[in-house]
């Protein structure tokens, strides 16, 4: 008992001698984050009439901007766009208010684009027209050529090959529109369809009239020229389809995130290493082959005009890639490797 008492007494004395552990200091209260509110007003781009006013807006992304426009244009959300500048470009869906060059009081402009039509519908109408029109001339329906040539067939093999190639090209485009393409823009102004269809339909009629004319003469170098041109045409058609499939696989359904297209295991996509828009490159090659095959001036004219327009589109797409992706391959050209 004495020993236990001594041990207990010693333990008490040691504990008394040991300094007390310092108490943790209380953490200072965190300062509340300052909340920035925005005041948003939307004006009509033409009349400058105030259409909508919102206060205490924390964050406004493009989806919400379109949601706001829904109250202004309830019939068709696709015909409504919101602008930061009255003469500027429409804001994208992913734009964030806090990242735009605006103060806490933000003014936007509303524009009604008018009646809209889906891009897929435009592509179908654009392609079905030339397909049907060309066949009318190929079968030499009445009122096209002299009565004695009605429903007759050309004696030149190149005329029949040209019809197959032309029909194949537009059938391919129709099927790609239905099952391959994923359009980044949902609609376009309805009035534009008349301009687009007039160009494609009239061009098809102009080409078909001369290629299927009873007095049409085959290419200068004959069968060799036709075979070489047919090879170019088929090669570029396969290349075009391969590029469209690669672009489809790059974009998931409903996803608007843009990615840099790169070559795949398919050799036809290796041109991505040198060109930003190889779909236009192959399209141009197809019509170049068709021009050499038919040796027809209207086809040459259509090819040149198409090349100029596709070059404009390719340059715009190339600039967009360079602007959006800092690591974009510098070796690439818009449409022609090392040239254009």
């Amino acid at each position: 008992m004495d020993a236990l008492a001594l041990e207990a007494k010693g333990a008490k004395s040691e504990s008394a001698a040991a300094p007390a552990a310092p108490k943790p200091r209380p953490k200072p209260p965190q300062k509340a984050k300052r909340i920035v509110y925005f005041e948003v007003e939307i004006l009509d781009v033409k009349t400058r009439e105030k259409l909508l006013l919102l206060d205490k807006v924390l964050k406004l992304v493009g989806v919400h901007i379109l949601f706001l426009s829904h109250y202004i244009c309830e019939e068709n959300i696709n015909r409504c766009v919101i602008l930061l500048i009255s003469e500027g470009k429409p804001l994208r869906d992913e734009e964030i208010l806090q990242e735009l060059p605006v103060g806490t009081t933000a003014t936007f402009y509303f524009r009604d684009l008018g009646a809209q039509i889906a891009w897929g519908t435009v592509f179908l109408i654009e392609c079905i027209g030339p397909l049907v029109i060309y066949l009318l001339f190929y079968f030499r329906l009445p009122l096209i050529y002299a009565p004695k040539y009605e429903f007759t067939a050309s004696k030149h093999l190149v005329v029949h090959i040209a019809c197959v190639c032309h029909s194949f090209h537009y059938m391919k485009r129709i099927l790609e529109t239905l099952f391959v393409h994923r359009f980044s823009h949902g609609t376009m102004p309805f009035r534009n369809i008349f301009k687009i269809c007039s160009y494609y339909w009239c061009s098809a009629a102009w080409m078909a009239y001369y290629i299927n004319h009873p007095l049409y003469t085959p290419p200068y170098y004959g069968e060799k020229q036709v075979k070489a041109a047919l090879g170019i045409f088929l090669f570029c058609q396969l290349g075009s389809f391969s590029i469209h499939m690669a672009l489809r696989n790059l974009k998931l359904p409903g996803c608007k995130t843009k990615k840099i297209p790169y070559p795949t295991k398919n050799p036809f996509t290796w041109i991505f290493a040198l060109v930003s828009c190889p779909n236009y490159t192959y399209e141009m090659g197809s019509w170049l082959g068709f021009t050499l095959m038919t040796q027809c001036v209207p086809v040459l004219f259509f090819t040149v005009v198409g090349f100029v327009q596709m070059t404009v589109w390719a340059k715009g797409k190339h600039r967009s890639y360079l602007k959006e992706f800092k690591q974009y391959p510098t070796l690439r050209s818009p449409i022609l490797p090392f040239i254009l």
Side-chain angles (χ1 to χ4, degrees):
M1 291 294 293
D2 293 339
L4 293 175
L6 289 173
E7 288 179 5
K9 187 177 181 181
K12 289 181 180 180
S13 60
E14 289 178 2
S15 62
K23 295 181 180 180
R25 295 181 180 180
K27 295 182 179 179
Q30 293 182 352
K31 295 181 179 180
K33 293 183 179 179
R34 182 183 177 186
I35 301 176
V36 179
Y37 292 102
F38 291 85
E39 184 180 275
V40 178
E41 66 174 359
I42 299 181
L43 308 180
D44 187 280
V45 72
K46 294 182 179 180
T47 64
R48 296 298 192 273
E49 177 188 356
K50 185 180 292 185
L51 302 176
L52 195 65
L53 176 64
L54 294 175
D55 58 354
K56 292 187 177 182
V57 179
L58 293 175
K59 184 178 181 181
L60 198 65
V61 294
V63 174
H64 295 127
I65 292 177
L66 291 177
F67 179 75
L68 294 180
S69 67
H70 179 67
Y71 289 98
I72 307 169
C73 184
E74 296 183 359
E75 294 181 359
N76 187 353
I77 195 69
N78 292 313
R79 66 186 290 170
C80 308
V81 294
I82 300 296
L83 315 171
L84 183 59
I85 305 174
S86 58
E87 300 298 329
K89 295 182 179 180
L91 293 174
R92 300 192 305 269
D93 290 352
E94 60 270 19
E95 299 266 13
I96 300 175
L97 176 62
Q98 294 165 334
E99 294 180 357
L100 293 174
V102 295
T104 53
T105 300
T107 300
F108 295 95
Y109 298 92
F110 165 82
R111 175 177 292 165
D112 186 352
L113 298 177
Q116 299 288 296
I117 184 171
W119 269 102
T121 305
V122 173
F123 270 55
L124 290 176
I125 298 175
E126 171 190 311
C127 296
I128 292 174
L131 176 64
V132 174
I133 290 172
Y134 194 99
L135 292 176
L136 297 179
F137 286 87
Y138 174 75
F139 291 111
R140 296 178 178 174
L141 296 185
L143 305 179
I144 297 178
Y145 303 112
K148 64 178 180 179
Y149 295 116
E150 292 179 1
F151 298 108
T152 59
S154 174
K155 61 181 179 180
H156 302 299
L157 179 61
V158 62
V159 173
H160 307 294
I161 296 176
C163 179
V164 172
C165 290
H166 189 274
S167 301
F168 174 81
H169 172 73
Y170 282 103
M171 282 298 299
K172 167 182 164 293
R173 290 188 58 180
I174 291 172
L175 293 175
E176 286 177 340
T177 301
L178 294 174
F179 304 109
V180 177
H181 291 320
R182 288 172 178 159
F183 300 98
S184 55
H185 299 286
T187 62
M188 65 174 289
F190 183 80
R191 62 182 179 274
N192 289 356
I193 194 173
F194 299 101
K195 176 177 63 177
I196 295 173
C197 290
S198 297
Y199 169 70
Y200 280 100
W201 291 20
C202 293
S203 297
W206 190 28
M207 290 187 292
Y209 176 82
Y210 286 97
I211 296 174
N212 298 286
H213 198 282
L215 302 180
Y216 169 80
T217 55
Y220 182 79
Y221 292 101
E223 186 178 346
K224 292 182 179 179
Q225 181 174 336
V226 174
K227 288 183 177 179
L230 178 61
I232 295 173
F233 177 85
L234 294 177
F235 178 86
C236 291
Q237 287 290 288
L238 289 173
S240 174
F241 176 74
S242 300
I243 296 300
H244 290 156
M245 288 301 299
L247 293 175
R248 170 188 168 83
N249 296 333
L250 194 67
K251 185 185 296 183
L252 298 176
C255 179
K256 295 188 177 182
T257 303
K258 296 183 179 180
K259 299 178 182 178
I260 301 176
Y262 287 103
T264 65
K265 295 180 180 179
N266 186 341
F268 286 102
T269 65
W270 294 353
I271 193 175
F272 266 127
L274 301 175
V275 172
S276 294
C277 302
N279 51 325
Y280 296 144
T281 308
Y282 282 124
E283 182 74 8
M284 181 199 66
S286 296
W287 284 107
L288 179 61
F290 195 73
T291 302
L292 295 174
M293 180 192 304
T294 58
Q295 199 170 295
C296 186
V297 173
V299 181
L300 175 62
F301 179 83
F302 181 80
T303 302
V304 172
V305 173
F307 173 68
V308 172
Q309 181 60 70
M310 286 187 286
T311 300
V312 174
W313 291 335
K315 285 186 175 181
K317 189 69 173 179
H318 184 72
R319 286 193 299 267
S320 177
Y321 280 139
L322 292 175
K323 183 179 180 181
E324 293 186 29
F325 303 105
K326 296 181 180 180
Q327 303 299 327
Y328 191 73
T330 57
L331 188 62
R332 294 186 185 182
S333 301
I335 190 170
L336 296 179
F338 310 113
I339 300 176
L340 187 64

